[in-house]
Amino acid sequence: MQAAASLSLASSPSSATASRSARFAEYSGSDAFLRPFSSLRLCGLRREVLASRFLHRHWSSRTALSCARRPPRKVSAAATDNGGAAKGFDYDLVIIGAGVGGHGAAIHAVERGLKTAIIEGDIVGGTCVNRGCVPSKALLAVSGRMRELQSEHHLKSLGIQVSASGYDRQAVADHANNLASKIRGNLTNSLKALGVDILTGVGTIVGKQKVKYGKVGFSDTEVTAKDIIIATGSVPFVPKGIEIDGKTVFTSDHALKLEWVPDWIAIVGSGYIGLEFSDVYTALGSEVTFIEALDQLMPGFDPEIGKLAQRILINPRKIDYHTGVFASKITPAKDGKPVTIELIDAKTKAPKDTLEVDAALIATGRAPFTKGLGLENINVVTERGFVPVNERMQVIDANGNLVPHVYCIGDANGKLMLAHAASAQGISVVEQVYGNDNVLNHLSIPAACFTHPEISMVGLTEPQAREKAEKEGFTVSVAKTSFKANTKALAENEGEGLAKMIYRPDTGEILGVHILGLHAADLIHEASNAMALGTPIQDIKFAVHAHPTLSEVLDELFKSAKVDIGTSHAVTEPVPV
Ligand SMILES: Cc1cc2nc3c(=O)[nH]c(=O)nc-3n(C[C@H](O)[C@H](O)[C@H](O)COP(=O)(O)OP(=O)(O)OC[C@H]3O[C@@H](n4cnc5c(N)ncnc54)[C@H](O)[C@@H]3O)c2cc1C
Ligand SMILES: NC(=O)c1ccc[n+]([C@@H]2O[C@H](COP(=O)([O-])OP(=O)(O)OC[C@H]3O[C@@H](n4cnc5c(N)ncnc54)[C@H](O)[C@@H]3O)[C@@H](O)[C@H]2O)c1
């Protein structure tokens, strides 16, 4: 019998990790890629930089992971031109990995006047821009419109007649690919414009405040930095027993290229990636079978929201599912035979079923990419591949001590695998490097799943809040509002949805907010900002919302909460005009 697949992220590189390494190693570009981009020091481009932030961080440059076969060459600070570094160092800050985390840190570092370089071993933009948030949201934009056009009942109730709907697969794929390229370009330009040196090649920490980088077959270059940030991200985690061929059995890396739309696809894992792709595939005509190891679909969500999501996003669609099972063995289609999937009971490991499908998408989480980083040179041992850090993202060594001047942000530390979390951690680290102590409140970081309708959340789920309340001896209350009572949602004929808030009635503290409904991903920020700023319900409920807007769903939510104390400050004080 097959060994049980593990639910936890891999500590050893998965097959996808290995293929990523191969991709790094395969690339052989021109020597020009080895030269640091000599950066223009310009101040007037702040607007462009800010614009690029909205467009999601990104950049371009290609390289290869390198093995140090030749002695490192030394680069002098004079080789670049983005200001002076701290005495005795080439740079104030060197960031390894130009994904969203590295980009956010680099931009903020320049704003703080730090001489900064970013090392990238593949293409600028990392997962989010090239293989994650950006192309997936382009596909989801298409699935959203397809859904609307296919919903005769919905259109009829608005008085709209559409005779037919269809799509051009290659054009949809091009839309996703073009968007990624565009944003990568914008972000690259913004980095160059601000004077961040983009150093191409694989970065390896070689010692205290020392990093080398280079490309296969070329000599490495060594730079010194007062502070180093590791921002090397993650790759898809593929459980043991699953064979990826990239055509019929694949991960999100391949699926985003939309090379074909299978009639029947099994999606292993019903987390963010699984759910978003089920939205895309069913809108484009596929039938989906979920395979989920835990006893319910979407186990990460607040249970009430999960149940509603099942009613809205799963049951009415061409989706069936197996829960409480592992896909213990998956064999790609070959010689006219379909993809075969062997299922075993997640608890007993007894064989349960064998499925034959056209394709399988493996969406079972992501593994940190920390290979080749030289962590052994600073006595750091990873935990299941993740770099151990404290609440300030300072790296912890094998003896439990902080490694001076080394930080790790983003997916590589595993705290919260989200693009904006990576970037926020980077900004927090730069603040510390600059001299301002800064601890990011991870509980106030929102998350969203971009299905139709969307799901969003911030803070604790109801069971988590009740557990905390039990331990700490306080009471928890829950307020709820429905999209059915919202004028704008009804005007759009999109009244399905719920917003729920978990809070402390004794203090008015918001513990968590969960939304399922139209534009939930945009709506969550009023709650997450309130949590980040420590604004209690008795204050935020006096904030005024434009009518008719979806934001009134949250207005109603705050107003319906029963807080035992009055307003904490005089928000109604008259202002002389
Ligand atoms: C399909 C999909 C959809 C997603 N959608 C969303 C979403 O909608 N919203 C959201 O918030 N998050 C989303 N995510 C998650 C998001 O993409 C990640 O959380 C985010 O990219 C992490 O950023 P990072 O900077 O830590 O790492 P990455 O983006 O992975 O970047 C790391 C970079 O480091 C480089 N690198 C690695 N090792 C080295 C080395 N030794 N030397 C030099 N360079 C190196 C890599 O090439 C890479 O460019 C999605 C992920 C996937 C897979
Ligand atoms: N909209 C977004 O913000 C967004 C979108 C996509 C991805 N992401 C990020 O990317 C990361 C990875 O996403 P993901 O969906 O792959 O991971 P996930 O952790 O969200 O979900 C993985 C799911 O797979 C299940 N699973 C694991 N091993 C299994 C096995 N062998 N057989 C059956 N089921 C198994 C787990 O129980 C879980 O439900 C997430 O951490 C997420 O934060 C975010």
Side-chain angles (χ1 to χ4, degrees):
M1 195 195 300
Q2 282 291 320
S6 163
L7 245 189
S8 59
L9 291 176
S11 57
S12 58
S14 62
S15 47
T17 312
S19 72
R20 172 85 172 282
S21 306
R23 192 151 53 89
F24 271 58
E26 261 167 35
Y27 181 77
S28 64
S30 82
D31 191 29
F33 284 110
L34 271 183
R35 289 195 297 269
F37 288 96
S38 80
S39 24
L40 316 169
R41 185 156 173 71
L42 48 127
C43 319
L45 285 170
R46 191 180 150 78
R47 211 158 19 126
E48 184 185 343
V49 171
L50 289 176
S52 80
R53 281 186 164 176
F54 287 112
L55 285 168
H56 257 251
R57 338 207 170 221
H58 211 259
W59 31 143
S60 89
S61 72
R62 300 200 138 231
T63 17
L65 277 178
S66 115
C67 333
R69 294 197 192 100
R70 300 183 197 174
R73 165 165 72 89
K74 192 88 180 69
V75 71
S76 79
T80 62
D81 190 24
N82 64 354
K87 203 161 172 238
F89 294 100
D90 298 320
Y91 292 99
D92 292 312
L93 181 65
V94 163
I95 301 159
I96 309 175
V100 281
H103 179 264
I107 295 290
H108 193 63
V110 175
E111 279 176 18
R112 284 297 193 195
L114 304 179
K115 184 177 167 68
T116 305
I118 195 161
I119 303 175
E120 175 52 53
D122 190 32
I123 49 174
V124 169
T127 305
C128 178
V129 178
N130 303 296
R131 299 171 296 276
C133 333
V134 172
S136 66
K137 265 75 255 180
L139 296 183
L140 281 155
V142 174
S143 72
R145 281 175 175 75
M146 283 298 292
R147 256 174 221 299
E148 266 180 67
L149 293 172
Q150 287 163 355
S151 174
E152 211 181 313
H153 169 73
H154 176 77
L155 292 174
K156 232 180 185 169
S157 64
L158 293 168
I160 298 173
Q161 292 170 356
V162 174
S163 50
S165 66
Y167 67 92
D168 170 351
R169 182 202 54 77
Q170 190 55 54
V172 176
D174 290 347
H175 170 53
N177 188 37
N178 293 341
L179 183 69
S181 305
K182 184 178 175 161
I183 291 178
R184 187 168 58 238
N186 287 341
L187 291 177
T188 307
N189 292 340
S190 72
L191 280 177
K192 288 191 208 168
L194 271 180
V196 175
D197 285 348
I198 305 172
L199 311 177
T200 300
V202 169
T204 303
I205 298 175
V206 285
K208 206 175 153 221
Q209 295 167 303
K210 222 179 267 176
V211 180
K212 70 172 187 193
Y213 67 96
K215 189 161 71 86
V216 174
F218 294 86
S219 65
D220 293 310
T221 305
E222 198 172 281
V223 288
T224 55
K226 189 164 168 290
D227 291 282
I228 296 167
I229 298 181
I230 298 167
T232 50
S234 67
V235 291
F237 164 60
V238 179
K240 246 171 47 187
I242 298 179
E243 188 187 332
I244 300 285
D245 69 350
K247 292 186 174 71
T248 59
V249 181
F250 44 77
T251 67
S252 54
D253 284 359
H254 310 102
L256 287 166
K257 294 182 187 146
L258 201 72
E259 279 168 353
W260 65 305
V261 178
D263 288 342
W264 184 8
I265 181 164
I267 300 184
V268 186
S270 65
Y272 284 84
I273 294 181
L275 205 55
E276 289 187 351
F277 270 101
S278 76
D279 195 281
V280 171
Y281 280 121
T282 52
L284 299 186
S286 306
E287 290 183 25
V288 167
T289 295
F290 268 119
I291 294 164
E292 170 55 54
L294 296 183
D295 286 338
Q296 73 207 48
L297 291 181
M298 303 164 282
F301 296 151
D302 178 89
E304 191 174 7
I305 295 288
K307 265 191 202 144
L308 187 62
Q310 169 121 6
R311 194 161 66 68
I312 296 174
L313 300 172
I314 306 288
N315 296 348
R317 300 183 180 174
K318 286 187 178 165
I319 300 178
D320 68 355
Y321 51 87
H322 300 259
T323 53
V325 290
F326 282 125
S328 59
K329 184 172 181 188
I330 303 189
T331 313
K334 208 174 169 190
D335 303 329
K337 287 192 196 135
V339 172
T340 56
I341 303 178
E342 291 177 22
L343 300 181
I344 58 169
D345 187 284
K347 291 189 189 99
T348 65
K349 314 290 181 263
K352 283 278 275 208
D353 214 341
T354 301
L355 306 179
E356 291 187 343
V357 292
D358 299 316
L361 166 65
I362 312 307
T364 46
R366 296 186 56 87
F369 190 77
T370 47
K371 251 179 82 175
L373 251 179
L375 292 172
E376 62 286 359
N377 298 328
I378 49 171
N379 189 31
V380 170
V381 177
T382 59
E383 291 166 5
R384 291 178 300 123
F386 293 104
V387 177
V389 292
N390 69 1
E391 73 285 2
R392 288 177 174 78
M393 313 303 136
Q394 293 168 295
V395 172
I396 300 168
D397 75 11
N399 303 320
N401 301 319
L402 295 178
V403 183
H405 304 288
V406 184
Y407 301 81
C408 177
I409 61 168
D411 283 10
N413 71 30
K415 273 184 183 284
L416 195 52
M417 290 177 128
L418 294 171
H420 46 281
S423 184
Q425 290 173 358
I427 290 168
S428 171
V429 167
V430 169
E431 281 301 295
Q432 293 166 58
V433 165
Y434 183 67
N436 295 333
D437 189 28
N438 192 289
V439 177
L440 185 63
N441 175 5
H442 282 78
L443 261 187
S444 72
I445 297 179
C449 190
F450 295 81
T451 43
H452 297 89
E454 296 169 344
I455 306 172
S456 62
M457 66 224 76
V458 60
L460 304 176
T461 61
E462 189 176 338
Q464 286 168 342
R466 294 206 180 279
E467 197 185 319
K468 183 176 157 77
E470 173 99 25
K471 266 194 211 137
E472 296 177 18
F474 61 84
T475 311
V476 158
S477 291
V478 175
K480 291 178 204 173
T481 48
S482 163
F483 279 62
K484 281 195 180 72
N486 180 271
T487 310
K488 182 72 188 293
L490 292 177
E492 299 284 340
N493 207 6
E494 299 272 5
E496 248 180 340
L498 171 82
K500 121 176 212 189
M501 174 169 67
I502 303 127
Y503 65 99
R504 282 183 68 155
D506 57 340
T507 61
E509 183 191 354
I510 302 172
L511 299 172
V513 172
H514 304 263
I515 311 172
L516 192 162
L518 186 63
H519 296 307
D522 292 296
L523 293 178
I524 196 70
H525 296 98
E526 188 167 6
S528 61
N529 287 343
M531 288 174 75
L533 300 172
T535 312
I537 298 165
Q538 61 272 26
D539 285 355
I540 201 166
K541 74 182 205 178
F542 287 100
V544 181
H545 298 69
H547 175 76
T549 60
L550 292 172
S551 72
E552 289 169 296
V553 170
L554 284 202
D555 189 23
E556 285 301 316
L557 191 65
F558 299 139
K559 287 192 163 80
S560 66
K562 305 268 180 290
V563 180
D564 299 337
I565 55 174
T567 310
S568 70
H569 68 250
V571 289
T572 52
E573 200 165 298
V575 179
V577 277

